[in-house]
């Protein structure tokens, strides 16, 4: 309730001083002591008094002569004269409750003769021993405020309001006299959001020379409807006779709550609480509603250890037969981002395979990392039981199913934080099952992979590499020489960390294979210009490729290893990424593989300007050369004129655009036009697009169609990545020429394993023309 409420007393200064000794307003012992000292005849009034309350209260409660007379409960009655005044006004069906035996005994003695029908009970207002739906009116004068000491949180207030809702009859009223502080309204408004009509009224104050805290009357009418109604107020905020902070606070609370209620009413994406559902927000949860799907939050307060984000799905029509009436499916954090669990379409497939009439899919996150599955299941069990359809059946078991994260062993190698990218993790892991392709190539290996993970995008694996023991991947002498050349520059860096090129029989990144399917998809798109690539390579010339977004450097290193006729310039905004790529993913630079630390859009625009003048590029600052000196720190242009292959593979720090990759600026029409001008006549533009919004995908495709003469796409199976390929040439490959072009590309790429070449050719067959 807070100490400031104590100044609202109209009693003498000695009474106020006495009240200051209470300290904890939720302590029974403190209140017993307080009432013992005050004595039987000295009443104490919280907030407004009877002259200010009489008219609004009587108009709300109705006629005292109605039949049957209204049953009124006054919880936390204390020694206030409020119930006595109501009794004298004709309302005799009044029950008073307080947990202080001292005050109940005093009030009973004070009223036993003159108000013999009035009842007095020693009872805790957070757990009252009355039958459900006993009262027509529950009248609270400061009781909720007393329970809501800010340092104690919502627990007691939450328990009390649950009792209020249980005890009120249908059509009954909860009348709460309160100072309407934000932490009180923050609990009160949501608790009565579904199935209740709420209004707020200002109680007139006594004349005073200075503005003081005003008493408000919040009324909640219990209705049978599940319609979400706005909270109404009977006063003009500008005319409130109270201090500015209190007036501003109640205005903000009303605006915020009504905005939330509008979102519910308009069907916006809402995370429902368990209590919302119990109040009828989605109808009667005991009944199955085929095809119903919504998101909710479970736990997070009371006796529960964790909060859980979940999706409830009732199986679609004609989906049976079912093995279970209700089931729970737990998705670990490492797999929550996958299409199967993050998209509606994928979730319905999980429902079908679960054989459950109602499936509650629980998506774990980082907050559950320290908990075992047994602990999580124990925490969830009482929550999901409340969501099971049908009549209560103590014998019915709700099965818990789980999507394995597929990881046999995980080891965090390094953690870093970048001012641009945020928290980053480098981790090594062994999968429980690997692609059959791996088993064919390395049948005796217990394969280990290294991943680069951005934590700002939950579950996003930015890069993934295959680790091999030194020698097992048949490294070339060229790579060995590059590593030796780079070692001196690396040793100059302060705080030398564990590196991927340590001596001895260490696991090292194998750059002859791309573990990420979308990287393989990008390479398969080279099929579209395979004839051009062959013509350049056959005469000993170089194809120029620019990769915007270095990541762990795996794609540029693959091109360098397997397509030596390609000169690569990688552009990365974050220097931390280059450091991680060199330290943990075996990335090195030489005269045909350079990195620029600069803005990708700026780099492409300068590349366009350079190609327009057909001049050699100029680097202002420190150019990266074969001795691996550091990058040009923001003022770079390309080292050649036009580019043959331009790849955009950057993630977005802002997912509000609907895209995880790339950042929205990279698919703006103006930038796409700049790209087209920077490309050579046979140039290929590639974008890795990651979005779960079909509208966003359609928008990007529409923009690219307007710029490029030909547009192709590759949708990776069970993946959100859509790889787009734009060609600026007038002519392009025919559909019936894809097999031949794929074979042509396979000959250009220097694979150590033919099986890897086959996977790229298989992906090329799935490329389809959009324009």
């Amino acid at each position: 309730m807070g100490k400031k409420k104590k100044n609202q007393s109209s009693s003498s200064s000695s009474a106020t001083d006495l009240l200051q000794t209470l300290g904890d307003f939720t302590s029974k012992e403190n209140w017993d002591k307080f009432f013992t000292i005050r004595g039987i005849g000295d009443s104490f009034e919280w907030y407004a008094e009877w002259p200010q309350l009489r008219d609004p209260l009587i108009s709300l409660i109705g006629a005292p002569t109605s039949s049957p007379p209204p049953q009124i409960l006054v919880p936390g009655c204390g020694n206030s004269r409020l119930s006595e005044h109501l009794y004298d006004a004709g309302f005799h069906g009044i029950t008073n409750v307080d947990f202080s035996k001292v005050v109940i005994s005093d009030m009973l003695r004070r009223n036993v003769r003159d108000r013999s029908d009035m009842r007095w009970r020693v009872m805790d207002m957070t757990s009252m021993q009355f039958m459900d739906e006993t009262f027509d009116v529950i009248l609270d004068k400061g009781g909720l405020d007393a329970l809501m000491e800010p340092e104690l949180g919502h627990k007691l207030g939450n328990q009390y309001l649950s009792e209020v809702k249980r005890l009120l009859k249908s059509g009954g009223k909860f009348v709460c006299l309160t100072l309407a502080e934000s932490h009180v309204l923050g609990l009160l408004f949501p608790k009565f959001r579904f199935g209740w009509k709420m209004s707020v009224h200002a109680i007139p104050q006594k004349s005073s020379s200075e503005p003081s805290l005003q008493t408000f009357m919040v009324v909640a009418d219990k209705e049978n409807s599940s319609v979400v109604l706005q909270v109404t107020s009977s006063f003009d905020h500008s005319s409130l006779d109270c201090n500015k902070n209190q007036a501003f606070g109640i205005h903000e609370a009303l605006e915020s709550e009504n905005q939330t209620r509008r979102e519910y009413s308009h069907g916006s994406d809402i995370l429902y609480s368990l209590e919302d559902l119990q109040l009828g927000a989605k109808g009667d949860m005991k009944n199955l509603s085929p095809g119903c799907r919504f998101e909710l939050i479970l736990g997070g307060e009371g006796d529960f250890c964790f909060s859980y984000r979940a999706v409830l799905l009732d199986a679609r029509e004609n989906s049976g037969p079912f093995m279970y009436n209700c089931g729970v499916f737990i998705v670990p954090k490492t797999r929550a981002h996958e299409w199967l669990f993050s998209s509606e379409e994928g979730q319905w497939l999980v429902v079908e395979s679960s054989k459950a009439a109602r499936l509650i899919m629980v998506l774990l996150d980082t907050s559950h990392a320290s908990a075992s599955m047994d602990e999580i299941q124990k925490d969830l069990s009482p929550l999901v039981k409340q969501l099971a359809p049908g009549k209560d059946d103590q014998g019915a078991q709700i099965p818990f199913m789980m999507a394995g994260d597929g990881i046999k062993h995980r080891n965090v190698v390094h953690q870093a934080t970048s001012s641009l990218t945020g928290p980053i993790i480098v981790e090594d892991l062994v999968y429980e099952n690997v692609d059959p392709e791996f088993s064919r190539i390395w049948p005796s290996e217990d394969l280990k992979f290294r991943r680069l993970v951005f934590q700002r995008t939950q579950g996003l694996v930015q890069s993934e590499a295959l680790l091999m023991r030194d020698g097992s991947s048949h490294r070339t002498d060229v790579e060995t020489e590059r590593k030796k050349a780079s070692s001196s520059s690396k040793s100059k860096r302060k705080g030398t960390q564990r590196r991927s090129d340590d001596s001895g029989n260490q696991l090292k990144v194998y750059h002859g294979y791309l573990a990420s399917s979308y990287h393989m998809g990008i390479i398969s798109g080279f099929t579209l210009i395979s004839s051009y690539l062959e013509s350049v390579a056959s005469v000993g010339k170089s194809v120029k490729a620019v990769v915007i977004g270095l990541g762990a450097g795996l794609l540029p290193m693959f091109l360098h290893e397997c397509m030596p006729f390609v000169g690569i310039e990688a552009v990365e905004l974050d220097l931390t990424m280059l450091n991680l790529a060199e330290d943990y993913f075996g990335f090195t630079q030489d005269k045909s593989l350079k990195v620029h630390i600069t803005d990708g859009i700026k780099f492409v625009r300068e590349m366009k300007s350079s190609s327009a003048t057909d001049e050699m590029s100029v680097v202002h600052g420190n150019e990266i050369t074969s001795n691996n000196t550091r990058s040009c720190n923001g003022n770079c242009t390309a080292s050649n004129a036009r580019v043959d292959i331009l790849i955009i593979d950057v993630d977005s720090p802002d997912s509000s655009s609907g895209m995880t990759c790339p950042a929205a600026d990279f698919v703006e029409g103006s930038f796409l036009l700049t790209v087209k001008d920077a490309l050579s006549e046979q140039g290929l533009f590639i974008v890795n697009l990651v979005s779960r919004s079909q509208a966003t995908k359609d928008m990007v495709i529409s923009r690219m169609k307007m710029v490029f003469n030909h547009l192709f796409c590759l949708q990776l199976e069970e993946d959100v990545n859509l790889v787009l390929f734009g060609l600026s040439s007038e002519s392009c490959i025919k559909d019936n020429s894809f097999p031949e072009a794929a074979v042509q590309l396979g000959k250009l790429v220097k694979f150590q394993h033919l099986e890897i070449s086959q996977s790229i050719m298989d992906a090329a067959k799935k490329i389809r023309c959009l324009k």
Side-chain angles (χ1 to χ4, degrees):
M1 185 160 70
K3 294 288 188 290
K4 61 184 177 181
K5 299 180 181 67
K6 298 164 187 175
N7 296 328
Q8 289 301 109
S9 171
S10 61
S11 303
S12 65
S13 60
S14 61
T16 302
D17 292 340
L18 179 60
L19 189 60
Q20 296 284 351
T21 67
L22 267 173
D24 182 2
F25 283 81
T26 65
S27 168
K28 175 182 176 295
E29 291 73 18
N30 285 357
W31 280 109
D32 281 343
K33 180 180 178 182
F34 173 79
F35 289 124
T36 299
I37 295 173
R38 287 194 66 87
I40 188 171
D42 190 4
S43 64
F44 186 86
E45 297 297 339
W46 295 100
Y47 313 156
E49 298 189 36
W50 181 246
Q52 291 80 44
L53 294 172
R54 184 184 187 283
D55 290 343
L57 279 180
I58 291 178
S59 65
L60 277 171
I61 298 173
T65 57
S66 61
S67 181
Q71 294 300 306
I72 302 172
L73 174 67
V74 182
C77 62
N79 63 1
S80 167
R81 294 192 180 275
L82 177 61
S83 55
E84 297 173 349
H85 289 305
L86 280 172
Y87 189 97
D88 295 344
F91 299 95
H92 290 187
I94 300 175
T95 300
N96 300 277
V97 165
D98 201 292
F99 67 175
S100 171
K101 185 176 180 180
V102 173
V103 77
I104 290 296
S105 297
D106 286 348
M107 294 300 285
L108 180 59
R109 287 194 295 269
R110 193 167 86 185
N111 290 280
V112 66
R113 292 184 180 179
D114 297 333
R115 302 175 182 90
S116 58
D117 291 336
M118 189 127 68
R119 292 175 293 277
W120 303 90
R121 300 285 186 271
V122 178
M123 203 175 287
D124 184 345
M125 61 197 289
T126 66
S127 179
M128 294 181 274
Q129 286 76 54
F130 297 114
M131 298 291 290
D132 293 358
E133 299 190 1
T134 298
F135 298 99
D136 300 285
V137 176
I138 296 180
L139 176 56
D140 179 320
K141 189 182 182 189
L144 177 62
D145 287 7
L147 293 175
M148 292 288 289
E149 285 284 346
E151 61 271 20
L152 297 177
H154 286 182
K155 181 178 180 180
L156 294 178
N158 193 54
Q159 292 173 351
Y160 166 55
L161 293 181
S162 295
E163 283 290 270
V164 167
K165 292 192 289 186
R166 180 181 69 84
L167 296 177
L168 270 178
K169 298 177 183 178
S170 179
K173 298 177 186 294
F174 175 49
V175 182
C176 182
L177 297 168
T178 172
L179 293 181
E181 293 177 283
S182 59
H183 67 283
V184 174
L185 296 182
L187 174 68
L188 185 57
F189 284 161
K191 282 290 250 182
F192 295 92
R193 188 175 285 156
F194 299 98
W196 299 78
K197 181 176 70 175
M198 295 194 77
S199 58
V200 183
H201 312 272
I203 301 300
Q205 297 209 86
K206 288 182 177 180
S207 299
S208 175
S209 59
E210 295 183 2
S212 58
L213 295 177
Q214 186 160 8
T215 302
F216 291 88
M217 183 167 65
V218 180
V219 182
D221 293 86
K222 189 173 184 178
E223 299 188 340
N224 291 323
S225 172
S226 62
V227 176
V228 181
L229 302 173
Q230 294 283 285
V231 181
T232 61
S233 59
S234 61
F235 51 86
D236 182 352
H237 292 275
S238 61
S239 63
L240 288 176
D241 185 21
C242 59
N243 68 45
K244 293 181 180 179
N245 289 337
Q246 188 186 25
F248 177 78
I250 193 166
H251 173 73
E252 286 289 294
L254 281 166
E255 286 294 311
S256 175
E257 176 62 19
N258 281 331
Q259 176 60 34
T260 299
R261 293 182 178 224
R262 281 190 290 271
E263 291 173 357
Y264 275 92
S265 299
H266 297 158
S268 304
D269 291 336
I270 295 293
L271 285 173
Y272 292 93
S273 69
L274 184 57
E275 187 171 26
D276 290 342
L277 301 175
Q278 292 169 336
L279 290 170
K282 300 298 290 184
D284 187 352
M285 295 306 298
K286 292 299 180 183
N287 297 326
L288 289 167
S289 180
C292 176
R293 175 195 176 276
F294 57 85
E295 299 183 22
L296 65 154
I297 292 291
L298 294 173
E301 60 181 27
D303 297 329
F304 299 103
C305 299
F306 300 103
S307 175
Y308 305 89
R309 186 169 68 89
V311 184
L312 186 146
L313 305 104
D314 282 352
R316 290 167 169 167
E317 292 280 5
N318 304 318
S319 298
F322 302 112
M323 293 178 63
Y324 312 108
N325 196 37
C326 183
V328 179
F329 193 94
I330 298 177
V331 182
K333 173 187 175 294
T334 53
R335 300 194 64 187
H337 69 285
E338 294 180 18
W339 174 87
L340 190 63
F341 308 115
S342 62
S343 68
E344 288 191 32
E345 186 178 356
Q347 289 168 1
W348 285 118
L349 291 176
V350 177
V351 174
E352 291 179 15
S353 63
S354 72
K355 301 298 182 183
R358 171 171 292 171
L359 187 69
I360 303 166
M361 183 179 293
V362 179
L363 304 163
L364 302 184
D365 57 35
T366 52
S367 68
H368 309 110
S370 61
S372 68
M373 282 302 109
D374 287 341
E375 291 171 330
I376 288 174
Q377 182 172 338
K378 182 179 179 181
D379 201 37
L380 277 171
S381 290
L383 295 167
V384 297
K385 283 181 180 179
Q386 299 177 64
L387 293 171
K391 297 181 179 179
D392 294 335
D393 184 356
Q394 298 299 325
Q397 295 294 315
I398 298 178
F400 277 74
M401 298 164 269
M402 182 173 178
D405 62 7
I407 296 174
K408 182 192 299 184
H409 175 74
R410 183 200 312 271
N411 176 47
V412 175
V413 176
H414 181 69
Q415 297 184 62
T417 299
S418 162
S419 59
L420 294 175
T421 309
I424 304 168
I425 293 177
V426 178
E427 59 184 9
D428 288 353
L429 48 88
V430 176
Y431 289 108
E432 292 177 350
N433 297 293
V434 297
D435 192 296
E437 177 183 295
F438 287 107
S439 300
R440 291 194 299 269
I441 301 173
W442 298 283
S444 60
E445 298 273 358
D446 190 7
L447 297 177
K448 183 176 285 190
F449 294 82
R450 177 162 293 175
R451 304 199 309 191
L452 180 69
V453 181
F454 292 172
Q455 289 190 289
R456 72 183 180 191
T457 307
Q458 185 176 338
L460 175 65
V461 178
Q462 203 282 337
S463 300
E464 185 169 34
L466 176 63
L467 295 176
M468 303 292 290
R469 296 205 176 277
D470 193 17
S472 61
S473 57
H474 309 292
R475 276 179 173 70
T476 63
D477 292 337
V478 174
E479 181 189 3
T480 303
E481 291 302 316
R482 284 206 323 274
K483 289 185 179 294
K484 289 179 180 179
S486 68
S487 61
S488 60
S489 64
K490 286 184 180 180
S491 64
K492 297 175 185 177
R493 194 176 307 153
K494 293 182 179 180
T496 303
Q497 302 163 331
R498 170 187 170 187
R499 306 184 189 282
S500 58
D501 57 350
D502 291 340
S503 60
N505 189 26
Q506 297 290 326
L507 286 170
K508 299 182 180 181
V509 171
Y510 175 42
H511 293 294
Y513 180 76
L514 292 170
S516 296
S517 60
Y518 84 90
H519 275 159
M520 288 297 231
I522 287 174
I523 300 299
S524 71
F526 289 13
T527 301
L528 297 168
I529 57 169
S530 59
S531 294
Y532 171 69
L533 297 177
E534 185 181 49
S535 66
V536 173
S538 64
V539 295
K541 292 185 178 181
S542 177
V543 170
K544 180 179 179 182
V546 171
V547 180
I548 308 294
L550 177 68
L554 302 178
L555 181 59
M557 286 297 291
F558 175 85
L559 292 173
H560 193 275
E561 288 275 316
C562 300
M563 302 181 75
F565 61 90
V566 178
I568 306 127
E569 291 188 71
V571 182
E572 174 58 52
L573 186 61
D574 191 348
L575 179 60
T576 301
M577 299 310 303
L578 176 58
N579 293 340
L580 290 173
E582 291 178 339
D583 289 344
Y584 296 97
F585 291 88
F587 181 79
T588 57
Q589 302 173 59
D590 61 16
K591 62 182 180 180
S592 60
L593 174 54
K594 303 178 182 180
V595 176
H596 301 278
I597 303 299
T598 188
D599 179 83
I601 290 178
K602 178 182 178 182
F603 185 87
V604 173
R605 286 174 179 160
E606 291 181 350
M607 185 168 59
K608 170 196 170 184
S609 300
S610 175
S611 65
T613 57
D614 196 27
E615 295 177 352
M616 295 297 290
S617 66
V618 177
V619 178
H620 305 287
N622 300 319
E623 182 178 0
I624 300 180
T625 61
S626 58
N627 66 358
N628 289 309
T629 55
R630 306 306 288 172
S631 60
C632 48
N633 295 325
N635 295 310
C636 313
T637 57
S639 57
N640 291 307
R642 291 184 179 271
V643 63
D644 298 303
I645 302 170
L646 177 56
I647 301 169
I648 304 294
D649 184 22
V650 296
D651 83 317
S652 173
D654 178 16
S655 60
S656 63
S657 63
M659 290 180 289
T660 304
C661 298
D665 290 345
F666 286 96
V667 289
E668 289 291 340
S670 59
F671 177 71
L672 295 176
L673 288 169
T674 301
V675 168
K676 184 178 181 181
D677 291 339
L679 288 173
S680 65
E681 184 178 348
Q682 300 295 324
L684 173 64
F685 178 55
I686 305 175
V687 177
N688 174 37
L689 176 62
V690 181
S691 175
R692 303 191 186 280
S693 167
Q694 189 58 49
T696 299
K697 293 178 183 178
D698 292 342
M699 174 196 68
V700 175
I701 289 171
S702 176
R703 289 178 181 175
M704 292 187 67
K705 282 182 176 180
M706 294 176 65
V707 173
F708 295 96
N709 295 329
H710 306 282
L711 186 65
F712 295 82
C713 76
L714 172 61
Q715 177 66 66
L716 300 172
E717 189 173 343
E718 290 195 5
D719 206 332
V720 294
N721 297 74
L722 177 69
V723 186
L724 296 170
F725 309 94
L727 292 169
S728 55
S729 60
E730 292 299 326
S731 60
C732 74
I733 187 173
K734 303 298 182 183
D735 288 345
N736 58 5
S737 300
F738 265 94
E740 181 182 347
V743 172
Q744 192 174 32
L745 176 64
K747 293 178 180 178
L748 290 171
V749 183
K750 308 302 182 184
F751 290 113
Q752 294 175 5
H753 303 278
L754 293 179
E755 293 88 346
I756 300 176
S757 174
Q758 186 61 48
S759 66
I760 289 181
M761 289 189 285
D762 290 342
K765 296 175 184 177
K766 299 176 182 178
I767 296 175
R768 62 186 181 90
C769 181
L770 298 176
K771 177 186 177 183

